[in-house]
Amino acid sequence: MSLPIAQQWYDTRRLDDRIWLITEPHVHPIFSANMHLVLGRDADLLIDSGMGIAPLRPVVDGLRDDPGKPLICLSSHTHVDHIGAAHEFEQRLVHPAEAEELANPSPYSLTSADIPAALVRLFLDAGYPPLWEYLINAVPVPDYDIAAYKIPAAPATGTVEDGDIIDLGDWQATVLHLPGHAPGQIGLWHPESGTLFGADAIYDGPLIVEDQETYANSLKRLRGLPIKRVHGGHDPTFDQTRCLEIIADYLTRWGRA
């Protein structure tokens, strides 16, 4: 199967005067994760780094006011769609429970037939559409080798835990440990604006559950925050009303309301 060449691999959209959304529109919805760039006075912050199919750093630097400023890459967790380009950034932060995977990523294939059947079933049961033949429907350059896809090692230069502060000088946010989707899944809470970067702990689409009891506790924790908007790891931004609806829906499904 020959795939078309994408005119551009990444889409970018400004969400407000500080935050950019970066997406990979040619990646299957299950693996097309949101990346958020937060601009700060003293440093900028990139939350997650996608699949790493095409170079990300030039796109990120093109959105920054000053590409010479320090840039922090924060991996919310280490599933393939969130760490693919982490190696392109000098400062790499992750929760300690995810650090080993960031340093030694598990092999992954862009060919759907190579993905374990149990994982494919998990995606379907969660409510995602069937996988395409490949996890992408285009290639970034004419000579792109799908079979050679590999996530490079990107050892963390630091770790963050619950309660730690990410400080960009004129913007500070608190790290929230929100396990259930992944052991070291984290979110980022900016109380001044009521903004939650929920990553894969909560987004407006089918949630993938690793540990239901732990996940329920994470959602209950989020239920207690005065959230005004959520930038999730997938799908569009949503407000407090929708956030509470999603939490109530899953807690009810799991019998843990």
Side-chain angles (χ1 to χ4, degrees), residues 53 172 203 230:
I53 291 167
Q172 295 82 33
Y203 51 86
V230 179

Side-chain angles (χ1 to χ4, degrees), residues 61-101:
D61 282 346
L63 301 176
R64 304 170 70 202
D65 305 322
D66 176 9
K69 232 184 329 185
L71 175 59
I72 303 163
C73 177
L74 175 69
S75 296
S76 66
H77 62 299
T78 54
H79 290 164
V80 60
D81 49 333
H82 296 264
I83 63 166
H87 65 284
E88 298 181 30
F89 304 92
E90 292 80 23
Q91 294 189 58
R92 300 181 293 269
L93 302 180
V94 72
H95 188 275
E98 305 284 317
E100 175 58 29
E101 182 66 19

Side-chain angles (χ1 to χ4, degrees), residues 7-246:
Q7 292 297 312
Q8 62 180 37
W9 190 256
Y10 296 100
D11 275 356
T12 62
R13 181 162 63 92
R14 193 152 201 161
L15 300 181
D16 59 29
D17 60 356
R18 189 184 291 276
I19 302 170
W20 284 89
L21 170 66
I22 305 171
T23 57
E24 294 180 280
H26 298 290
V27 175
H28 189 281
I30 296 173
F31 295 92
S32 182
N34 292 334
M35 295 161 267
H36 293 97
L37 175 65
V38 184
L39 304 178
R41 184 192 66 210
D42 301 335
D44 297 330
L45 171 70
L46 177 67
I47 304 171
D48 290 329
S49 58
M51 292 285 288
I53 291 167
L56 175 61
R57 182 65 182 261
V59 175
V60 171
D61 282 346
L63 301 176
R64 304 170 70 202
D65 305 322
D66 176 9
K69 232 184 329 185
L71 175 59
I72 303 163
C73 177
L74 175 69
S75 296
S76 66
H77 62 299
T78 54
H79 290 164
V80 60
D81 49 333
H82 296 264
I83 63 166
H87 65 284
E88 298 181 30
F89 304 92
E90 292 80 23
Q91 294 189 58
R92 300 181 293 269
L93 302 180
V94 72
H95 188 275
E98 305 284 317
E100 175 58 29
E101 182 66 19
L102 193 61
N104 297 288
S106 302
Y108 218 92
S109 174
L110 295 180
T111 302
S112 296
D114 295 336
I115 296 177
L119 191 56
V120 173
R121 173 50 54 190
L122 179 66
F123 296 150
L124 292 173
D125 289 347
Y128 279 102
L131 295 176
W132 307 327
E133 181 177 355
Y134 301 110
L135 301 186
I136 53 178
N137 62 11
V139 291
V141 291
D143 59 349
Y144 186 80
D145 185 356
I146 291 177
Y149 176 75
K150 181 180 180 181
I151 307 172
T157 59
T159 57
V160 291
E161 301 192 56
D162 192 77
D164 286 349
I165 303 297
I166 302 293
D167 188 354
L168 305 183
D170 57 348
W171 186 93
Q172 295 82 33
T174 304
V175 173
L176 304 180
H177 184 208
L178 302 169
H181 173 77
Q185 167 73 68
I186 57 174
L188 207 56
W189 168 237
H190 184 245
E192 184 178 337
S193 64
T195 300
L196 173 72
F197 293 90
D200 281 10
I202 185 166
Y203 51 86
D204 198 359
L207 302 183
I208 302 293
V209 182
E210 179 185 85
D211 182 323
Q212 191 179 99
E213 181 177 359
T214 303
Y215 210 144
N217 290 334
S218 292
L219 292 182
K220 289 176 182 178
R221 181 181 186 186
L222 294 179
R223 187 172 60 184
L225 292 177
I227 294 169
K228 294 181 180 177
R229 63 175 178 170
V230 179
H231 300 311
H234 300 265
D235 301 295
T237 296
F238 51 97
D239 61 12
Q240 181 184 50
T241 299
R242 181 59 184 148
C243 180
L244 293 175
E245 288 174 352
I246 293 169

